[in-house]
Each structure stands twice: as C-alpha cells, then as structure tokens.
Amino acid sequence: MSASSSIAAPVPLGAPRRAWLTDLPVLLVAVVWGASYLAAKGITTTHTVIAVLVLRFAVVLPVLVVAGRARLRALSAAQWRGAAALGLILSGIFLLETYGVVHTSATNAGLIISLTMIFTPLAEAAVTRVRPPRAFLGAAALSVAGVVLLTQGGGFTAPSLGDLLMLLAALARTVHVLAMSRIKAVRSADSLSLTTVQLGSAVAVFAVIAAFPGTGSSPWAVALDFGPREWGGLLFLSVFCTLFAFFVQMWAVRRSSPSRVSLLLGTEPLWAAAAGIALAGDRPGILGLAGAILVLAGTSWGRRAADDDAG
C-alpha cells in the first residue's frame, strides 16, 4: 500500500452509487461468462465444435474490425506478428474449452477453468524463479483438492475426458497470459486491436481445420441446420460473451481499478455452477459440492494472497 493510499480522502455522497453503476455491468459479464459453458454445451456436439467456433467468432469479428479499423492500420509489423501468435494460443484454448464442455458438465467446466487464477502465478513464479508466498501455495493445494473432489461427484472414478480437457484449457490460458506479458511487441498495442487480431487468427485456424475432411460438419451446414434456439445460443456467445464482455471490461477499467474488475470477474465459476445446477439439472453430489466449495475458497484465497504479495 502506498503512502498516499493510506490517507482517507473525503468521499462524495454519490461515490458508492457511481461505483455500483460500474460494478453491475462487470458483474453481469461474470454472469454471462458463467452461463456461456451451458450455452456452448446446448448448441455443440462432438461433430459441430469447429463449425460452432467459426460461426461464433465470424459473427463478432466484422464489428471489431469496423470499430477499430484506424487502430489496426497503426499496428506495426511486429505487433501484428505478436498478436497473431497470441491468436494461435487462443485458438487452442477455445478448442480445448469447447470440446471439454461437450464431454463434462457446465458446473465442472466453469469451476475447473477457474484454476487459471492459481496456475498463472505459479507459472510466473517458475519463470521468474521467485517463490510464491506460503499462503498462495496453500490456496493452490486447496483448489487442486477441490477439483479432485468435484470430478468425483458420483464416487471415486477417473476424471472424465471433458474434465481433463478443461484442465488443459486452464493451463493453456496460463500460457496465454504469460505470453501476453512476455511478447514485448504487444505491450504497447491497444486492447481493441490486440483482441481483433487474436480473434482473426483464431478464426483462420478454425476455418483451416474445418476445411479438412473428418473434422465434423461444415459451418454452412451447421448454420442451415440451426433452429431459433441454437441461433439464440450462438448469438448469446457472440454478442454477450464476446462483444459485450470485451467493451464492458475496457469501459470499467477506465472507471474503476483492475483489481476491483478482476475480483468481480472472479465470480464467474460461481455463476457457472449456479447455471449448471439450476438450468441443466447438474447434481454434483456431496463430494462434488464439497469440491466446488474448496475450488471457490481456494481461488478466492489465492487471489488475495497474490494481491497481498504484489502490494
């Protein structure tokens, strides 16, 4: 804590209200992200994963290109290469997450992916050779124990394929975060341009995969086969979970603090579990519920420990 932050300044009467006006949209992003696992599960099968990914981002990409065309033209060649490399990692994340959610419950998917908040500081500590605080290591152990219990809701069995894929997705997210901090060229790029190039690279990867035989239904066939429910789910993923979420984050960080935004977005696994239990009928059982509580407690404790260490 800096010296200046320890001095209490007068708080305008309207400040708490303004803070909540900023917090509520961010909290809504966490809610839609939590519901995204259930939405993806509802419109995706093993044979339509690639097609759904192409459609999801092809819908939103033109809007991002139009909104940020001037900034895109200002990117240097090194920034384009760096953002494109990040997009390749991003494509792997979405492939793992989408295949994973097809093969596990929405509740498990949302809670397992939250381990990114634990994996990232651990990986950063390994790279920088700086030992994380003991409290953080305790939080990591608690979260891992929670995931083990979460995947054993019906008794002690091997984790499902979907659980393992979501675990790999959490690791891939960690690689993505570390790469963003390590690729010097992208540090000075604005967020809109960086996101647009990354999504464009990811869509290109999905389109190339879709062109190969044996990779499932084509995007056009899936689009023609979609009914109102499927299109509603796809637009929810495209408009709310991507466009809305991205712009709210940009807006909120300029009006709040990154820590406050991160704390609110950290409630995503809670909403994923709530959506899975309330809407999909997920029944994790006593072991699963205990595991969910441990994951939420561990990630929350880990986030606080990391913030205290950074402070």
Side-chain angles (χ1 to χ4, degrees):
M1 180 179 288
S2 63
S4 60
S5 63
S6 63
I7 301 174
V11 179
L13 291 176
R17 183 172 180 271
R18 286 198 298 271
W20 272 107
L21 287 176
T22 303
D23 289 348
L24 283 174
V26 178
L27 190 61
L28 185 56
V29 169
V31 173
V32 298
W33 275 358
S36 68
Y37 301 101
L38 186 58
K41 190 174 182 68
I43 66 171
T44 313
T45 68
T46 304
H47 298 292
T48 63
V49 167
I50 304 300
V52 168
L53 287 172
V54 171
L55 293 172
R56 173 180 176 178
F57 296 108
V59 167
V60 74
L61 192 58
V63 179
L64 292 175
V65 171
V66 171
R69 59 188 181 278
R71 297 175 183 177
L72 284 171
R73 287 196 294 267
L75 291 178
S76 67
Q79 288 172 328
W80 274 94
R81 288 193 298 270
L86 290 173
L88 295 179
I89 302 173
L90 192 65
S91 67
I93 294 171
F94 280 114
L95 285 168
L96 289 167
E97 285 185 1
T98 311
Y99 275 113
V101 81
V102 169
H103 294 288
T104 190
S105 67
T107 300
N108 279 24
L111 288 165
I112 292 172
I113 202 70
S114 71
L115 288 178
T116 303
M117 289 183 283
I118 297 295
F119 290 159
T120 302
L122 287 175
E124 189 174 16
V127 170
T128 60
R129 300 181 184 276
V130 176
R131 183 182 175 86
R134 289 183 180 179
F136 184 85
L137 293 176
L142 193 66
S143 297
V144 171
V147 168
V148 172
L149 289 178
L150 178 67
T151 59
Q152 309 303 317
F156 284 97
T157 59
S160 71
L161 173 62
D163 295 332
L164 293 175
L165 289 173
M166 294 308 298
L167 191 62
L168 289 174
L171 291 170
R173 280 194 184 190
T174 297
V175 172
H176 186 257
V177 172
L178 291 180
M180 286 187 70
S181 66
R182 295 276 168 176
I183 300 177
K184 294 181 180 179
V186 302
R187 292 179 189 172
S188 57
D190 73 280
S191 300
L192 178 59
S193 300
L194 185 61
T195 300
T196 303
V197 176
Q198 286 187 82
L199 290 183
S201 298
V203 170
V205 170
F206 303 145
V208 169
I209 295 174
F212 283 90
T215 54
S217 304
S218 72
W220 312 116
V222 170
L224 291 173
D225 195 47
F226 269 4
R229 184 184 69 84
E230 288 80 10
W231 274 109
L234 182 71
L235 290 175
F236 172 76
L237 291 171
S238 297
V239 176
F240 289 97
C241 300
T242 306
L243 263 185
F244 170 75
F246 170 73
F247 283 110
V248 164
Q249 286 181 86
M250 287 188 62
W251 172 80
V253 168
R254 287 170 171 79
R255 289 163 177 78
S256 183
S257 68
S259 297
R260 190 178 183 92
V261 171
S262 175
L263 182 64
L264 292 167
L265 292 179
T267 63
E268 175 192 347
L270 178 63
W271 301 112
I277 293 170
L279 301 178
D282 291 349
R283 295 294 179 263
I286 299 299
L287 287 177
L289 286 175
I293 291 170
L294 289 181
V295 171
L296 293 172
T299 52
S300 177
W301 182 19
R303 191 186 307 114
R304 289 198 302 271
D307 288 343
D308 290 344
D309 185 56

